[in-house]
Amino acid sequence: MFNYVTMSKKVYIGCGAGFAGDRYDASIPIVEDFKSINEPKYLMFEVLAERTLAIAQQYRINDNTKGYSPYLDYYIKPVLEDCLEHKIKIISNMGAANPLGAAKRIVEIAKEKNIRKPKIAVVLGDDILNYMSEKDILNSPTMEGLDIKNSKITAANVYLGAFPIANALKKDVDIVIVGRSVDSALALGPLIHEFDWDAKNLNMLSSGTICGHLLECGAQVTGAYFADPGFKDVPDLFNVGFPIAEFHENGDFFITKPKNTGGLVNKATITEQLLYETHNPNEYIVPDVVADMSKLNLLEKEPNKVLVKGAVGHKKPELLKATICSESGFMGEAEMSYAGPNALQRAKLAIEVIEKRIQKIGLQGKTRFDIIGAGSVHFSSSEENTYNNELDGDYRIRSAGFFENKEDAEQFVAETYSLYCSGPSAGGGARTSITKETSTASILIDRNIVEPQIKIEII
Amino acid sequence: MFNYVTMSKKVYIGCGAGFAGDRYDASIPIVEDFKSINEPKYLMFEVLAERTLAIAQQYRINDNTKGYSPYLDYYIKPVLEDCLEHKIKIISNMGAANPLGAAKRIVEIAKEKNIRKPKIAVVLGDDILNYMSEKDILNSPTMEGLDIKNSKITAANVYLGAFPIANALKKDVDIVIVGRSVDSALALGPLIHEFDWDAKNLNMLSSGTICGHLLECGAQVTGAYFADPGFKDVPDLFNVGFPIAEFHENGDFFITKPKNTGGLVNKATITEQLLYETHNPNEYIVPDVVADMSKLNLLEKEPNKVLVKGAVGHKKPELLKATICSESGFMGEAEMSYAGPNALQRAKLAIEVIEKRIQKIGLQGKTRFDIIGAGSVHFSSSEENTYNNELDGDYRIRSAGFFENKEDAEQFVAETYSLYCSGPSAGGGARTSITKETSTASILIDRNIVEPQIKIEII
Amino acid sequence: MLHKIKLPVHSIAHGRAGDKGDVSNVSLIAYNKFGWENIRENATEDIVLSIFKHLGATSVKRYELPNLMALNFVVQNALGGGVNSSLRLDRHGKTLSSYLLYHLILNVSLDMMPNNSPYREKFK
Amino acid sequence: MLHKIKLPVHSIAHGRAGDKGDVSNVSLIAYNKFGWENIRENATEDIVLSIFKHLGATSVKRYELPNLMALNFVVQNALGGGVNSSLRLDRHGKTLSSYLLYHLILNVSLDMMPNNSPYREKFK
């Protein structure tokens, strides 16, 4: 039997952020744990949502030193010095629309903190607007999302795989910055590099991908987004430890979390995260492999440490997925509360007033109305909800609408705000907002178009 | 007995807006009705909330042509031509921090619409920063609001009365624009002018003030903000008619609404509005009179037409109220929904997580947490609510906090947003916002300081 | 004497809330003279203060308008600092009228109610 | 055979929802093998589709992971257009797991539940 304690080369990967709004201090306990580990160790930050890139592109167009993650400083500053000192390599997609700019900013942070200049590799090539015509992009087969034929493209990026990250690590760098990559590649890249896997090690690539998939949402694998008090309790959720993977050369790995943190790692937390954003678990497709989860086994070896084994890999896809962003007008949202006796009926009347006003003033746009407190996230206001609600109580109406022009969105939210004087009795607490919207679509591109364009630059 | 139909000189006053966010098209049915009336007729727009002036001052500082109501165009454009043509005089506090700028903008609108240039009177003198030192302001006795001794003042305006408006009307103008005035003066001013009242006609000034008070919130007197379905029904609320006062020379007046509109005018709707924002009804204090509502009688003369009589007036006050605005940091607000089984417990855990995180990261600021759907507008999350709620259902947590610095407010809302990955199970629909806050205080000033400063300019 | 049952004052009166600084005023207006006699007698300053206590209210002053069958309650410090410094969702306290209408429980008889009141069902 | 009562699947399983475009996936993971047998047999594509129908779902594909006692449902068109075009408060459909856990009602026996389940009270 494989002895996980003594026989194996091990690689440690911690995840310090699972999305753009994740906690800025989450990586500190991981770094503390890593200080006493002598094996190769990596810290990944996943901070790039689908729509983020369109916004980032806009920042870059306005100022060519910007366009990387606006949260870069928050994530990097608390740990940069310790990472450099203790040889913890950072892998992140903080590059967003400007990976070179992100690298330069990290060098600046090092200078500001008076610590040694980090050596940073930057992976380029995900921005297909640099090498595909808008026409070729719009004529590509679409996978999901809206029809993009008539869109003004604001960003178009292909999801790169893990080999560019592995190749970047060969240059003996401290940090690798990418733009758009599949999230799991932030873990698979270091594993390919450390274990020297090639593209044919399909089961290994699959296990590394599944490991990355489990890590990529931060604490979602260590008990966060899991707690359901009384049913699924999680200790000290406020202090949840972000995940650490201990990956062994035989392809098995453990998921655990730092010392002195809250949270929970067990089969249940792992299984929830394993299936998160997974469709067919036998065919989890990334650029490097098609991962098969169907033979996976989970073993709770010790408290908060689970062994994951049994990943199987199939041949990598010929087509790569790219996300196309385009502008899609404005969303107006507005809310108003009704409480006390007969509140539900007053809330319903308020919505009736708004709907008839929209009709009267001839506002064109897709709209939706909810009553918060009466099943709003599962039912719109025009549906019977299936929860137990009383007429009396606390209800908050919400109006939402998409409009091509900002002015129409403003007029739309004004129709909720004006309920202060012109609505049913005793409405209070109005709030309104207007958001510029981006729509996205996914297309498929032949990988032979993409691969020659991938480049690594050293900063 | 006084014959309201034949004997009396009558003045008509309609109200086209009761607050800054009121419906932009509300005045149109009033203007339509007024076209067939030959007596003097006025259209008032009340659009100036307490805090609005601080924001308007900032606009003016940035651009000295701005600082009037940002909604001016919306309210004026639909009716300017008809008002000029049919001798409907407009009285409004759209001037905000720049009454002259407002008048100039209206002249521009007339030019854009290719209609005759309106003659506009502008009342100046409410901005006490022009003639009182910051020290004198801060040392004035405070009436209500926070201690202002250590504040940076962003706006300071005294509430003017109705005589300046009446004096302005003597100049045979089409429009009178003011900055800060008591709202009821927008109606009392024209009445003083038309009936030639002097400062000693206390009962008349009182009746005109009460008339203005009933009109100043727009449709709040004609059935809006009144409806409670099944208990207090209002026909066609979405199409509510804004109010019209028909004021007679004996001091009595009717409140009614335009033809072909929804809404309701009866003793109940009038009484609700009469007491709205009223403290002692025997002493409703404005600069021109202390109005006494205690002898008022309401008579429903015909459907949607109520006679108001019996106003008594007492001697005007020696001190005038002024509102001081100052900057007071930033408010962060953020929300996240939990629904379905055990949703209330998950919502409560989410708030526990945020509170402990705030403590852990050492964020200083006043905070509050609510659960919307569980009595949020009447109870904070730390209180037992007295409505019937089930554990299962639809709950939305809300975190709110005041902070001196924007960065702290951002960190605060991030602690709710990060629940997406780090909170209890199945939270959804996060929204965050940061608002720059203004605090206000009321002070009292000797009217002899103010009155010599009041000026009328004709544009 | 008519049969009475305990009901929220919502059954016999309506009202509206307004704000000035940290002072809220809440009106209570009877639908008819029987309801008016009830609220005039029983909607006291003390009971209204006790209802708004948890919101921070420190005192309540009541004004009567018999001609209009209306009471006006002026409630000090119930707005969490007032519209500019309150962290409440409803910074103006505009929903406080509903709060009083729901939480002030009175002994109510049928003659105090409007003819079409849904509360009449409670007497069946 | 153990006594069974109708309960939400929340009593014997947990899950999480994810989104990609307008496609939602909702996992359903049994707490133990008895619960697993129940959901494997009764949480069918048809019944899950009927539960998500009102949200616009057009089809449901079910995947099984027996090793993990887990099902994965891939639900088409249940997100009102997906995160970028949905007008829903919860644009990602992250609360849809709760919706399934509450609305899928199964015949449940005590042996399918975790030892500390509050649902055990229902059997008393």
Side-chain angles (χ1 to χ4, degrees), chain B residues 51 272 275 386 437 440, chain C residues 10 14 16 25 84 91 103:
Chain B
R51 294 188 296 175
E272 270 199 23
L275 291 172
T386 45
E437 291 294 298
T440 63
Chain C
H10 182 242
H14 58 101
R16 184 173 293 178
N25 84 288
N84 295 315
R91 304 180 87 184
H103 288 90

Side-chain angles (χ1 to χ4, degrees), chain B residues 207-225:
Chain B
S207 193
T209 294
I210 290 167
C211 178
H213 172 62
L214 289 174
L215 293 175
E216 78 190 27
C217 291
Q220 279 199 182
V221 74
T222 50
Y225 213 67

Side-chain angles (χ1 to χ4, degrees), chain A residues 50-51 144-146 219-221 223-226 228-233 267-269 271-282 284 293-298 321 328 331-333 335 366-368 370 372 376-380 383 386-388 398 400-402 435 437-441, chain D residues 10-11 13-31 53-56 61-76 80-103 114 116-119:
Chain A
E50 272 203 346
R51 295 188 296 174
E144 61 196 27
L146 303 168
Q220 281 200 180
V221 74
Y225 213 67
F226 178 87
D228 187 7
F231 299 90
K232 296 190 291 175
D233 288 307
K267 286 166 73 169
T269 68
T271 307
E272 270 200 23
Q273 183 54 25
L274 187 72
L275 291 173
Y276 179 68
E277 292 186 347
T278 295
H279 288 179
N280 182 348
N282 311 335
Y284 186 83
M293 303 173 176
S294 65
K295 311 265 183 329
L296 280 188
N297 264 305
L298 304 179
K321 175 175 154 178
S328 60
M331 179 167 72
E333 292 185 293
E335 297 181 358
K366 188 178 145 199
T367 60
R368 177 185 165 105
D370 297 303
I372 296 172
S376 63
V377 292
H378 293 155
F379 305 91
S380 77
E383 295 168 312
T386 44
Y387 299 116
N388 287 318
R398 168 179 179 266
F402 280 126
T435 322
E437 291 294 297
T438 288
S439 69
T440 62
Chain D
H10 183 241
S11 58
H14 58 101
R16 184 172 293 179
D19 71 302
K20 289 223 184 275
D22 199 18
V23 186
S24 174
N25 84 289
V26 185
S27 61
L28 197 58
I29 304 157
Y31 285 109
K53 198 99 197 177
H54 91 278
L55 293 167
K61 174 81 185 149
R62 179 179 116 155
Y63 298 96
E64 293 182 26
L65 285 164
N67 278 357
L68 307 178
M69 300 188 298
L71 299 173
N72 192 35
F73 297 95
V74 178
V75 187
Q76 299 291 327
V83 63
N84 295 314
S85 45
S86 172
L87 285 172
R88 294 188 190 147
L89 193 49
D90 175 18
R91 304 180 88 184
H92 304 82
K94 291 177 87 84
T95 65
L96 293 187
S97 56
S98 302
Y99 191 72
L100 183 65
L101 291 172
Y102 189 76
H103 288 90
N116 61 350
S117 174
Y119 284 101

Side-chain angles (χ1 to χ4, degrees), chain B residues 98-166:
Chain B
N98 188 2
L100 284 168
K104 285 174 187 158
R105 176 61 199 144
I106 295 172
V107 171
E108 270 176 34
I109 291 172
K111 202 176 287 174
E112 286 164 23
K113 285 180 160 285
N114 215 7
I115 52 183
R116 80 162 167 87
K117 178 180 174 297
K119 187 174 173 191
I120 306 176
V122 175
V123 175
L124 299 172
D126 63 301
D127 186 345
I128 60 175
L129 290 171
N130 287 335
Y131 52 87
M132 280 182 79
S133 72
E134 194 151 330
K135 185 165 156 257
D136 286 348
I137 292 170
L138 293 176
N139 286 328
S140 300
T142 52
M143 251 181 91
E144 60 196 26
L146 303 169
D147 180 32
I148 54 166
K149 290 284 176 290
N150 296 312
S151 307
K152 186 185 166 301
I153 295 177
T154 52
N157 297 74
V158 64
Y159 283 83
L160 301 183
F163 280 94
I165 294 171

